[in-house]
Amino acid sequence: PMKPAEYIAAGELAEEDWHHFALNIPYYTHFTSPIRRYPDVIVHRLLQATIDDNVDEFPQNQGEIHSAAGHCNDKRMAAKKAQERSDRVFLSLYLKKNPITSTLGVCLSVGEKTFTVFVPKLGASIKVFLQEHEDCFETNAYTDDGGKRHIVISPKTDAVPGMQQSDDDTGPSWKSLNIGVFTKLEVACTCKARPPIDVRVKVVGPWKE
């Protein structure tokens, strides 16, 4: 992902660091009504000081403005993380009462003991732990000749989490599943039983179109 934009005092950095990537222009600033963000207030004050031709009398020097900008960057990122965490907690508690037994999941990345799945129905990316599947799957992680990681899972028993069983079922219709980047999976979603509160995703099997 692209590096998020940051507030700066331009004079504290080299000119090449002023560049706005998305707009592809050498320098850029923005502000809205000065009732929302402190950086907007600073920009308004600096513009007014420039118009009034009294920048030299501005109550903050360049270094102090840059320090304030850095503090604003930290607080903005903290607020974003708090909002994302709050959203995840709410989603987890919702799934605790309303678990999803079967939905599409798409693998985004593969590690040695985990892989990350994007669940379109939830609009969330969730890490899946192989350790949580030891009761129902045999697992094997390997790296192919191209350096890409894969995880192969095979059912141990007829009971796979999230799979609806009937009296006529003889077990899963699949023998093994090779999980790599962009592999489509059938997954079940609920809330973790232990803290911290989070969404738990378990693999049901390969996705059937």
Side-chain angles (χ1 to χ4, degrees):
M2 287 191 296
K3 182 180 178 181
E6 294 183 343
Y7 297 114
I8 63 169
E12 292 290 301
L13 301 176
E15 285 194 29
E16 54 266 25
D17 294 327
W18 303 355
H19 185 264
H20 191 289
F21 179 83
L23 297 178
N24 194 26
I25 54 177
Y27 42 81
Y28 168 86
T29 190
H30 81 125
F31 61 91
T32 58
S33 170
I35 60 173
R36 295 184 57 209
R37 294 180 293 247
Y38 184 64
D40 295 338
V41 176
I42 295 296
V43 172
H44 275 261
R45 290 173 178 173
L46 286 168
L47 286 173
Q48 188 64 54
T50 302
I51 293 171
D52 295 342
D53 195 24
N54 62 355
V55 174
D56 293 339
E57 299 176 12
F58 197 76
Q60 292 172 291
N61 61 38
Q62 181 175 287
E64 291 171 335
I65 293 173
H66 189 66
S67 178
H71 181 72
C72 290
N73 291 330
D74 293 340
K75 293 302 181 182
R76 182 183 59 170
M77 185 57 64
K80 181 180 179 182
K81 289 180 178 179
Q83 179 179 346
E84 291 173 349
R85 180 63 185 142
S86 177
D87 291 343
R88 182 60 67 92
V89 169
F90 179 86
L91 175 61
S92 302
L93 295 177
Y94 175 82
L95 290 172
K96 186 176 183 178
K97 293 185 177 180
N98 305 275
I100 298 174
T101 58
S102 177
T103 190
L104 170 65
V106 181
C107 179
L108 299 181
S109 64
V110 180
E112 292 184 2
K113 298 181 180 180
T114 64
F115 59 95
T116 301
V117 170
F118 176 70
V119 182
K121 190 170 186 176
L122 302 180
S125 298
I126 299 130
K127 185 171 287 187
V128 179
F129 296 87
L130 295 183
Q131 185 178 2
E132 296 179 352
H133 292 73
E134 290 178 345
D135 58 332
C136 52
F137 293 126
E138 297 284 356
T139 63
N140 178 44
Y142 72 95
T143 303
D144 64 20
D145 294 337
K148 297 180 179 179
R149 291 186 179 276
H150 296 261
I151 292 174
V152 178
I153 63 173
S154 305
K156 279 185 178 180
T157 66
D158 294 348
V160 176
M163 179 173 288
Q164 300 295 325
Q165 298 280 334
S166 68
D167 295 337
D168 298 331
D169 284 342
T170 58
S173 60
W174 56 281
K175 300 300 181 184
S176 67
L177 174 60
N178 190 323
I179 301 173
V181 175
F182 297 138
T183 297
K184 292 183 178 180
L185 311 164
E186 182 181 1
V187 298
C189 306
T190 186
C191 178
K192 285 186 176 181
R194 298 178 180 178
I197 297 174
D198 206 346
V199 176
R200 184 186 186 192
V201 169
K202 294 207 75 173
V203 176
V204 176
W207 178 252
K208 298 177 181 178
E209 299 289 350

